[in-house]
Amino acid sequence: MTTIEYNHIVKKAQGRFNGGIHPTECKTLSNQQAIQSLPLPNFLILPVQQNIGQPGEIICQVGDEVSQGQLLVDNTEVFGANIHAPLAGKIIAIDQYPTNHPSGLPQTCLKIKTAKQQVSTELFSPINWQQVEPQQLLERIKLAGIVGLGGAAFPTHVKLAAQPINTLIVNAMECEPYITCDDRLLQEQSQQVIQGALISAKIVNAKEIIFATEDNKPDAIKQLSQCIKQIKSEVTIKIIVAPTKYPSGGEKQTIELVTGKQLPKGKLPASMGLLVQNVATLFAVYQAVNKGMPLTSRLVTLTGNQIKTPGNYWIPFGTTIESIMQHFDISDFTNQPVVMGGPLMGQPIFNYQAPVTKATNCLIFNIAATDEKMWLTQSTQHQPCIRCGECDKACPVDLLPQQLFWFSQSDQWDNLENQGLFDCIECGACAYVCPSEIPLVHYYRYGKSSIKTIQRNHEKSEKAKKRFEFREMRLARAKEERALKHKKAAEARKKAAQDKKADPTGKQTAINEALARVKAKKSAQNSTNPQPKE
Amino acid sequence: MSLSSPFFHQALSTSKVMLIVCIALLPGIIVQSYFFSYGVLINVFFCSLFAIIAEYFVLYLRKRKPWKIIKDNSALVTGILMGIAIPPTLPLWMSFIGVCFAIIVAKQLYGGLGFNPFNPAMVGYVLLLISFPVEMTSWLPATTITPNVPDFSDSLNLILFSQTSNGDDVEFFRQLADGYTMATPLDFTKTQFTLGLMTSEILTNETLLKSHHAWHLVNLAFLVGGLILLFLKIIRWHIPVAFLSGIILTSYLLYYYDPNLFMPTSFHLTTGATMLGAFFIATDPISASTTPKGRLIYGFLIGFLIVLIRAFGGYPEAVGFAVLLLNLASPTIDHYTKPTIYGHNLEEHANE
């Protein structure tokens, strides 16, 4: 086993965060093997939207032959990201297919029949990043459809537009059990990741790059520090090593570990002059800029006790879980959720037709032994909370999970918000340690969505109230105006009637008017011809 | 139904936690029964049995699955604690009333485990103490200082029928060789103070010294059990440490104020239910304060109240009252001692 050498490049983290847990790592399952590729899948199911924001415009049709890297979904929205063809082939359908969307609802997807012969083409021309303007680099990243590959899938070009940034933190913590794709990528492609980091640093004008990682990745640290030594750059590059503890990879926790300071509530890292990027994202940046390749595939950890050869694989987006299972000959796996992401924050996928997307960093095919309680995917009748406080010891954001649970199960929304429900990062540390096996995070999600629904309804009713009040006001005003008009008309009619009565033929009126005219004329003459002086 | 994340779980369960608490009580039970005869063991056995029966009865009425819930071992803990807390010759029907009240009224009527605002064992104990003050303060002298040590059948007969097969009653066993009736050190000192004696005179009384020796060891045994719990991380240090600091500080101040009228700190720490209270009763997490700061306040105030009640109150032992009073206060303590959440209150510091 490699030991970590600390020197002027590799340093121990000065900060620490409260709470945290030390779950079984299960990382050696998959980080011992070199990165591999899977054989071409027969078809791809490519969701047209793989990150938050508005969906883009599909610029292809059923029947089109597409080449690898060809732009298929053009997204010009602020938070949008383009989608390119992962492989060459023919679009055979554009329809609703099951995906990994948290709602469980199907999404619009392109079904692509992959061609037998794959010719790799360059979509963009490679750029020498040292010689171009940052704006051009940013444009390229946007065109390549790059999003954060740590799991949140936030568009990278939006994040890189933040200014001013002093330090770029590369999040290589990878604190969740089982996942090893960043570890393996750093071991094999650290040169490229560093280049990606330098490109990002140039875009945001950062003076410093810090690779933040845990001490359970000595091989990656060694490889990385060797590469850093060879780099000649004005930007200082360091590696900061934190003790292995979940969830050190959470953005807030990483910032606290690296800087020793907490990110103030409601602020973005940019307010502290920081930008946090994931390892795989920076690799994608390098590929887009230096190689001219859009983001069409990613490194995915395939692991769990049902896979005979766990490891890290390059997988084109749109590859279905089913085809991966066929390749690995996983047959005993039925009615079990495949966990997409890590075991603590991942998402259960029951429909194996769901594809790998930009947000998929890990797929776990695990079946728990019958007497084992460590791997829990089915809900059981949990025991009551005895407020033992294990959870508040484990909470990395210093909440009191036992209180959140108490208020959530009794629907006390105000108290729940006062306890800081919306500061919860849903890391799952509390539920991991809970001796009563309470699915605590589930209760928080319930609380969060209930409160949001109430707020939405409140906003709706406020809007409706305003609309109603305005309508009332408008009707009253119209009525008033009408009444005024009627009154005026009535008065006019009355006057006319009176006039008619006094002077039925209108002669007297004509005489009166003529007299008035004469009078006016006379007075006008008097004023223009002044009397001669006596 | 399928769960959402997390899917990973550690192995410790609530049932196991409760079971470990029971096991950690064993050293104390063994030492206590060595000094106060088989009655302790018999009480622990019957109280546990009553607790489980009462729990089963209510769960049956509530249409739950009784055996599944009883397996959480919480009723067992309540029963054992009651068995330890009551005198070793207390008539069985009284124990029955106490345990049933603890389980049915103080626990299940509030909704069962996790919902009881008061420590059930202490509710049962205090009910008995108020209802049967004579019987509840009739402790036997330590077996090491009395010629009349009840054997197993004597103890069982005393508990079941209030007299042995020879016709001896509890008072017979409470008499020492010189004809005095024995009381617990706490009871003894209280009486002596009312007789106008000074602390130095009380502390040199030979009977007290001998019987106090037994209580030293009982407390030591519970301390060992408590340290096991701390070591296994079943309980956290906050409450016991604050509890003991409360006792030390308050008793030290009183003793410092007038060394003739108040007992010294060492006496308070090693007598009565001090260690049992610090590690096994005040640490009941359900009825205790649940914030890190709140646990310190909660423990400290219990210690503070114990010394005050012992010094000025009408009852010699105070752990039960002090714990119940602070149980009442814990929601308020929780409200005012919320920890600072990550990233909160940073703006104010920046402006300072």
Side-chain angles (χ1 to χ4, degrees):
Chain A
M1 168 117 187
T2 327
T3 49
I4 303 168
E5 279 177 43
Y6 291 98
N7 50 38
H8 67 285
I9 295 174
V10 186
K11 289 188 175 132
K12 279 188 182 167
Q14 297 300 307
R16 62 176 294 280
F17 67 93
N18 294 336
I21 52 172
H22 296 97
T24 321
E25 292 184 24
C26 308
K27 284 185 189 273
T28 45
L29 268 178
S30 56
N31 72 356
Q32 304 298 310
Q33 300 81 4
I35 296 171
Q36 300 164 64
S37 294
L38 293 181
L40 287 181
N42 290 332
F43 63 90
L44 299 173
I45 303 282
L46 190 67
V48 300
Q49 190 185 10
Q50 299 182 23
N51 57 288
I52 59 154
Q54 299 293 314
E57 190 193 345
I58 303 170
I59 53 167
C60 54
Q61 285 169 345
V62 177
D64 284 4
E65 295 279 351
V66 295
S67 60
Q68 191 190 1
Q70 183 183 330
L71 185 64
L72 300 181
V73 180
D74 186 17
N75 202 324
T76 50
E77 302 287 337
V78 183
F79 293 112
N82 290 343
I83 288 175
H84 305 81
L87 295 170
K90 187 179 179 186
I91 296 177
I92 51 176
I94 300 176
D95 207 347
Q96 303 281 313
Y97 289 98
T99 66
N100 60 349
H101 197 273
S103 68
L105 297 171
Q107 272 181 290
T108 309
C109 297
L110 310 173
K111 186 168 185 177
I112 302 171
K113 173 129 186 58
T114 49
K116 292 274 180 296
Q117 293 294 317
Q118 293 288 329
V119 196
S120 79
T121 48
E122 269 173 9
L123 184 72
F124 311 119
S125 53
I127 301 179
N128 186 345
W129 62 270
Q130 274 141 328
Q131 290 167 3
V132 298
E133 288 298 306
Q135 197 51 44
Q136 198 180 336
L137 296 171
L138 197 59
E139 194 56 34
R140 167 61 55 89
I141 288 166
K142 187 177 179 185
L143 284 179
I146 297 176
V147 297
L149 298 181
F154 189 80
T156 302
H157 63 90
V158 180
K159 229 174 163 182
L160 286 174
Q163 294 278 6
I165 299 295
N166 190 49
T167 307
L168 169 69
I169 297 175
V170 185
N171 191 342
M173 293 288 189
E174 205 165 49
C175 56
E176 276 228 49
Y178 285 103
I179 311 178
T180 58
C181 55
D182 289 351
D183 181 8
R184 204 63 224 181
L185 193 63
L186 281 178
Q187 286 184 40
E188 298 188 27
Q189 308 277 343
S190 51
Q191 199 74 53
Q192 287 81 340
V193 175
I194 294 171
Q195 291 294 321
L198 286 169
I199 296 168
S200 301
K202 179 172 179 172
I203 296 172
V204 295
N205 205 11
K207 311 279 174 295
E208 190 185 23
I209 295 171
I210 293 177
F211 283 84
T213 186
E214 287 185 336
D215 60 9
N216 62 356
K217 298 180 228 343
D219 294 322
I221 294 169
K222 192 179 168 195
Q223 191 61 37
L224 199 56
S225 72
Q226 277 169 3
C227 291
I228 291 172
K229 276 178 201 156
Q230 295 158 9
I231 300 270
K232 288 192 182 67
S233 166
E234 288 172 14
V235 181
T236 51
I237 309 178
K238 276 193 294 190
I239 305 172
I240 284 187
V241 184
T244 300
K245 180 167 89 167
Y246 179 85
S248 54
E251 192 170 68
K252 290 177 170 178
Q253 283 65 40
T254 308
I255 288 173
E256 200 174 4
L257 285 166
V258 171
T259 65
K261 286 183 217 142
Q262 293 189 340
L263 178 65
K265 183 197 177 196
K267 292 281 167 69
L268 290 172
S271 70
M272 296 170 76
L274 302 174
L275 176 73
V276 185
Q277 289 282 19
N278 170 267
V279 172
T281 316
L282 296 177
F283 183 77
V285 167
Y286 165 84
Q287 293 281 63
V289 173
N290 285 32
K291 301 282 178 198
M293 281 162 65
L295 183 62
T296 56
S297 66
R298 66 163 298 156
L299 196 58
V300 181
T301 305
L302 301 179
T303 185
N305 58 16
Q306 295 302 300
I307 287 200
K308 289 180 198 81
T309 53
N312 289 287
Y313 296 83
W314 287 112
I315 298 184
F317 301 135
T319 306
T320 58
I321 292 171
E322 199 175 34
S323 67
I324 294 171
M325 288 169 73
Q326 274 164 10
H327 172 73
F328 287 99
D329 203 13
I330 302 171
S331 47
D332 306 338
F333 203 76
T334 44
N335 294 325
Q336 292 278 340
V338 179
V339 173
M340 191 177 268
L344 288 157
M345 288 185 80
Q347 190 190 335
I349 309 273
F350 282 91
N351 197 326
Y352 305 149
Q353 261 108 52
V356 166
T357 67
K358 291 178 183 179
T360 312
N361 52 359
C362 182
L363 291 172
I364 308 175
F365 301 85
N366 219 20
I367 295 180
T370 41
D371 56 338
E372 191 190 18
K373 280 207 162 162
M374 198 170 91
W375 189 259
L376 211 66
T377 53
Q378 296 294 315
S379 76
T380 47
Q381 181 66 48
H382 66 71
Q383 286 179 297
C385 171
I386 56 165
R387 289 150 68 89
C388 63
E390 284 301 314
C391 47
D392 77 60
K393 219 160 58 176
C395 181
V397 286
D398 304 315
L399 297 168
L400 294 171
Q402 70 272 45
Q403 298 286 74
L404 291 178
F405 166 68
W406 182 264
F407 292 128
S408 178
Q409 71 171 356
S410 49
D411 288 8
Q412 298 187 50
W413 308 128
D414 288 347
N415 283 326
L416 198 54
E417 274 193 270
N418 285 338
Q419 288 286 341
L421 178 71
F422 286 95
D423 288 281
C424 171
I425 56 171
E426 298 183 20
C427 68
C430 50
Y432 172 80
V433 296
C434 180
S436 287
E437 284 169 28
I438 304 173
L440 289 161
V441 184
H442 206 89
Y443 279 92
Y444 310 151
R445 292 194 184 113
Y446 164 70
K448 282 182 183 175
S449 64
S450 301
I451 291 175
K452 278 182 188 156
T453 309
I454 289 168
Q455 279 172 350
R456 245 196 321 272
N457 287 345
H458 183 73
E459 273 166 27
K460 252 191 207 164
S461 69
E462 278 299 304
K463 251 186 213 164
K465 197 176 157 196
K466 270 195 191 136
R467 269 204 304 269
F468 174 74
E469 279 169 356
F470 181 75
R471 179 174 180 271
E472 290 288 288
M473 193 272 283
R474 183 171 53 80
L475 290 180
R477 193 181 59 195
K479 200 175 168 189
E480 225 168 70
E481 280 170 359
R482 233 179 4 253
L484 204 70
K485 217 162 118 189
H486 287 171
K487 203 174 157 196
K488 267 187 188 162
E491 269 170 14
R493 269 201 306 277
K494 209 171 165 190
K495 198 162 173 263
Q498 270 173 359
D499 289 353
K500 215 170 182 184
K501 222 177 191 177
D503 175 30
T505 51
K507 267 183 190 165
Q508 191 58 44
T509 318
I511 293 166
N512 285 348
E513 275 170 8
L515 278 175
R517 271 200 301 277
V518 172
K519 220 176 185 178
K521 216 175 182 179
K522 265 186 181 166
S523 69
Q525 266 174 4
N526 282 349
S527 60
T528 47
N529 301 326
Q531 298 274 316
K533 274 179 188 166
E534 287 177 42
Chain B
M1 200 187 87
S2 82
L3 279 176
S4 56
S5 65
F7 310 100
F8 232 29
H9 202 268
Q10 65 158 19
L12 194 68
S13 71
T14 298
S15 311
K16 249 190 215 161
V17 168
M18 296 289 178
L19 201 62
I20 292 171
V21 171
C22 296
I23 292 167
L25 279 165
L26 283 181
I29 295 174
I30 290 166
V31 174
Q32 195 167 320
S33 55
Y34 172 77
F35 283 113
F36 300 99
S37 82
Y38 296 101
V40 177
L41 292 178
I42 297 170
N43 274 341
V44 167
F45 171 76
F46 276 117
C47 287
S48 313
L49 188 71
F50 292 155
I52 290 170
I53 292 172
E55 180 109 326
Y56 183 94
F57 172 68
V58 180
L59 290 173
Y60 172 77
L61 290 184
R62 288 177 66 196
K63 297 193 173 65
R64 304 296 163 98
K65 290 177 187 156
W67 287 120
K68 223 180 152 189
I69 294 177
I70 284 171
K71 265 196 273 176
D72 67 26
N73 295 327
S74 61
L76 189 63
V77 173
T78 304
I80 293 178
L81 283 175
M82 289 273 314
I84 294 169
I86 57 178
T89 54
L90 192 77
L92 194 63
W93 64 273
M94 291 187 190
S95 322
F96 180 75
I97 290 175
V99 172
C100 287
F101 192 78
I103 295 289
I104 297 173
V105 178
K107 186 179 169 192
Q108 288 295 344
L109 284 193
Y110 283 103
L113 181 67
F115 295 93
N116 46 303
F118 298 103
N119 185 323
M122 286 303 102
V123 172
Y125 173 80
V126 165
L127 174 90
L128 290 179
L129 187 60
I130 294 172
S131 312
F132 314 108
V134 177
E135 288 82 355
M136 280 297 284
T137 47
S138 298
W139 276 79
L140 294 178
T143 48
T144 45
I145 58 167
T146 175
N148 309 322
V149 179
D151 60 13
F152 182 78
S153 75
D154 288 343
S155 295
L156 193 61
N157 279 323
L158 281 175
I159 288 173
L160 291 177
F161 312 115
S162 295
Q163 58 177 0
T164 64
S165 44
N166 297 333
D168 301 324
D169 63 358
V170 175
E171 286 311 303
F172 170 76
F173 290 99
R174 295 187 69 206
Q175 274 167 22
L176 298 178
D178 51 11
Y180 276 114
T181 298
M182 189 51 214
T184 62
L186 282 169
D187 224 349
F188 181 77
T189 49
K190 187 150 260 234
T191 330
Q192 299 294 304
F193 276 128
T194 56
L195 294 175
L197 273 78
M198 291 196 295
T199 307
S200 53
E201 293 169 299
I202 299 170
L203 279 177
T204 46
N205 183 305
E206 206 152 305
T207 330
L208 174 81
L209 285 178
K210 275 186 189 159
S211 85
H212 199 187
H213 175 69
W215 285 101
H216 279 321
L217 290 174
V218 169
N219 271 287
L220 188 68
F222 282 120
L223 173 66
V224 169
L227 292 178
I228 293 173
L229 288 187
L230 270 181
F231 178 75
L232 293 176
K233 296 185 174 166
I234 300 295
I235 57 170
R236 285 156 85 175
W237 61 268
H238 304 73
I239 291 177
V241 167
F243 181 108
L244 296 177
S245 325
I247 288 191
I248 292 170
L249 196 73
T250 318
S251 60
Y252 179 79
L253 285 179
L254 284 179
Y255 187 67
Y256 183 78
Y257 172 69
D258 192 342
N260 290 325
L261 286 178
F262 298 103
M263 295 305 282
T265 302
S266 58
F267 176 81
H268 282 290
L269 280 182
T270 55
T271 190
T274 301
M275 292 300 167
L276 178 70
F279 290 95
F280 292 94
I281 293 174
T283 50
D284 164 38
I286 299 163
S287 53
S289 173
T290 197
T291 65
K293 255 189 246 161
R295 289 188 189 106
L296 291 176
I297 298 171
Y298 172 85
F300 185 86
L301 287 179
I302 291 178
F304 170 75
L305 278 183
I306 284 174
V307 177
L308 279 198
I309 297 174
R310 278 178 183 177
F312 303 107
Y315 289 92
E317 184 46 303
V319 173
F321 293 110
V323 167
L324 290 184
L325 280 172
L326 263 295
N327 285 170
L328 204 62
S330 55
T332 314
I333 298 176
D334 289 345
H335 183 78
Y336 287 105
T337 53
K338 273 184 263 178
T340 310
I341 300 167
Y342 177 104
H344 284 229
N345 298 351
L346 288 178
E347 292 305 289
E348 287 118 86
H349 288 298
N351 294 339
E352 269 168 19

